[in-house]
Amino acid sequence: MPFKKLLISSLLFTSLICSGQVTIKSSKTQDGIPYATISFGNGQGVFADDEGVFIFTEKLYPDVDTLFVTSLGYKNVIVPTSELSDTILMDEEVSQLNEVVLVADNRKFSEETLKPYLDDDYYHCWLPTIESEIAVFFRNPDADLKKLSTVHFPITLESKDWEKRKRKNAEKKPFSTLFKVKFYENNNGLPGQVLTYENIVFRATEKNGDVHNLDVSEYNITFPENGFFVSLQVLGYTDAQGKLLPNKKYKEIKSKNGIVKIPTNFRPLLPFTSEIPEHRTYIKRVFINGNNWVQFRKGNIESGLFSAGLNNYGIGISYKVYNDE
C-alpha cells in the first residue's frame, strides 16, 4: 500500500477511536440494532440510537472495563473495553413468544377505553431517569377476545413561569424526549415474558399536550387471560429531528466529601394518581439492583409520592372487544 494511502487509513482509524463511535449490528443481517441497552455493570449505562450507534470512550468512562449489551430478540453480549472495536455483533435469539392470535379484519367488535389519569401538579409526579423502567398492570376482565389498539400515556407539562404554573394557558417549558414502550405477560404478579420483540418508541414534546396517544394496533397484541403490563422507559433527549442525543446518566456534583453522582431527571414528568385503590405500578432499575421488578409501594422503595397516597402511574388504554362468531 502506498505511504499516502497508509497515512490516510491510519488517520481515519485514529479519528474513529477518538470519537468513540460504536455500532451494534445483527450478525445475520449486518443491520444496526436500534435502541439496544449498553450497561456498564456498576450502575451506569447508555442506549444506542435508531441506527444502533452509541458513544463510548475511556475519557468519558475511565473506570469501566466491561460492557453488557442487550436487546429484545438477541442474545446478550459481554465485551471487555480493552477489546472494543467500532462494531459489536449480536446473534438473534430463538423466539419464545406465545403463538400470535390473528383477528380477522371484518369481525364485529366494540371499542372500550380506560381513560388516563391526568394531573398538572409538579409534586404529584414521577421524575423519569434513564436507569428506571415503570410498568402498569391491566387485568383481563372477562374471557372475550380483546385486541389493544391505543395506549394513553399521561404527561405533565411545566410552565416556564413558576408563578403561572396553575394557569392552563401558561407557556410551557420545551422538551423533546424519546421513550421506549414494552408489553409483558403477567408472571405471578410481576412483568414476565415480552409480548412482542418489536422496538416501539415515541417522541414526546410539550406540543403534544398532557397525554400521548400511542397507536399499537399494528402489533396485534391480544389480552392474555391473566392480564398484562405496559411499561415506559426514557431513552433520553432528542434533537429537533427526533434523533437520540448522547446522554450521561449522572450529574456529577462536587461536595466536601468528593464527587457525588446524582441521577439525571428527564422531562416530561409522569403524573401519579390516588384514584386507583390497588397497587398496579411496578419499577425496575435497568442498570442496577439486579434488574429486578418491585411493586411501587411503601416499604419497597423510597418516594415522596406515598405521603400523598399516590400509588400508581395512570396509564390509559383503548381496545377492541370482539363478538362471538
Side-chain angles (χ1 to χ4, degrees):
M1 179 182 292
F3 176 76
K4 186 175 181 180
K5 288 186 177 180
L6 181 63
L7 179 61
I8 292 174
S9 298
S10 177
L11 289 173
L12 287 174
F13 178 77
T14 302
S15 174
L16 177 63
I17 296 301
C18 291
S19 72
Q21 180 171 296
V22 182
T23 304
I24 302 172
K25 295 182 178 182
S26 164
S27 61
K28 181 178 180 180
T29 67
Q30 297 298 307
D31 293 332
I33 299 176
Y35 311 117
T37 301
I38 305 94
S39 57
F40 306 155
N42 63 347
Q44 298 191 60
V46 295
F47 293 99
D49 65 14
D50 59 316
E51 296 178 339
V53 175
F54 71 98
I55 304 298
F56 185 93
T57 66
E58 185 178 351
K59 183 177 180 180
L60 283 174
Y61 306 101
D63 301 327
V64 177
D65 58 11
T66 306
L67 304 184
F68 300 85
V69 185
T70 60
S71 183
L72 287 176
Y74 292 88
K75 295 180 180 179
N76 297 345
V77 175
I78 299 175
V79 183
T81 55
S82 60
E83 301 174 10
L84 185 63
S85 65
D86 62 343
T87 302
I88 295 175
L89 297 177
M90 300 188 75
D91 296 328
E92 292 184 5
E93 190 170 39
V94 177
S95 175
Q96 297 179 348
L97 296 178
N98 287 338
E99 186 176 348
V100 175
V101 178
L102 298 178
V103 183
D105 292 336
N106 60 352
R107 189 169 175 180
K108 293 182 179 180
F109 64 87
S110 59
E111 190 88 20
E112 299 284 346
T113 295
L114 301 176
K115 293 183 179 181
Y117 294 83
L118 309 181
D119 197 327
D120 59 3
D121 189 333
Y122 176 94
Y123 296 106
H124 291 179
C125 293
W126 173 271
L127 280 65
T129 56
I130 280 183
E131 86 278 11
S132 62
E133 182 178 357
I134 187 168
V136 175
F137 176 64
F138 290 91
R139 297 185 182 280
N140 189 350
D142 53 52
D144 292 341
L145 176 62
K146 304 174 191 68
K147 180 180 175 182
L148 194 62
S149 52
T150 307
V151 182
H152 311 284
F153 292 102
I155 61 177
T156 295
L157 305 180
E158 299 174 82
S159 300
K160 280 189 173 181
D161 186 341
W162 180 255
E163 299 299 324
K164 299 178 180 179
R165 65 186 183 279
K166 294 185 179 180
R167 299 182 187 178
K168 292 293 184 181
N169 61 347
E171 188 176 359
K172 305 302 181 183
K173 289 183 180 179
F175 59 83
S176 180
T177 306
L178 197 67
F179 287 96
K180 178 186 283 189
V181 179
K182 296 178 186 175
F183 299 91
Y184 296 97
E185 293 179 350
N186 174 18
N187 181 20
N188 295 318
L190 292 173
Q193 175 71 29
V194 293
L195 293 173
T196 174
Y197 282 143
E198 297 286 344
N199 258 311
I200 305 174
V201 299
F202 70 87
R203 180 166 68 111
T205 74
E206 77 284 359
K207 298 176 183 178
N208 298 136
D210 55 7
V211 60
H212 184 94
N213 300 305
L214 179 67
D215 183 353
V216 296
S217 54
E218 65 178 286
Y219 303 111
N220 207 56
I221 299 170
T222 54
F223 283 32
E225 181 181 350
N226 62 346
F228 67 98
F229 290 83
V230 179
S231 88
L232 190 65
Q233 179 181 17
V234 63
L235 298 181
Y237 291 132
T238 80
D239 61 19
Q241 287 71 46
K243 186 79 170 179
L244 187 64
L245 298 172
N247 294 297
K248 289 204 71 173
K249 180 192 161 186
Y250 290 104
K251 293 179 181 177
E252 296 182 349
I253 300 176
K254 291 183 179 180
S255 71
K256 59 182 180 181
N257 297 321
I259 299 295
V260 178
K261 292 182 177 180
I262 306 296
T264 301
N265 296 318
F266 289 82
R267 269 52 184 174
L269 310 179
L270 307 180
F272 269 51
T273 180
S274 60
E275 297 182 45
I276 303 174
E278 59 183 331
H279 295 269
R280 293 187 351 195
T281 299
Y282 294 74
I283 301 293
K284 181 171 69 169
R285 304 293 185 182
V286 177
F287 300 125
I288 57 178
N289 292 340
N291 201 26
N292 293 318
W293 288 101
V294 296
Q295 192 176 45
F296 187 82
R297 65 186 307 159
K298 197 170 184 179
N300 288 348
I301 61 174
E302 295 182 6
S303 175
L305 295 173
F306 296 130
S307 60
L310 302 166
N311 297 315
N312 290 285
Y313 176 39
I315 294 177
I317 57 173
S318 293
Y319 55 93
K320 295 177 180 179
V321 181
Y322 291 88
N323 302 322
D324 292 333
E325 293 182 321

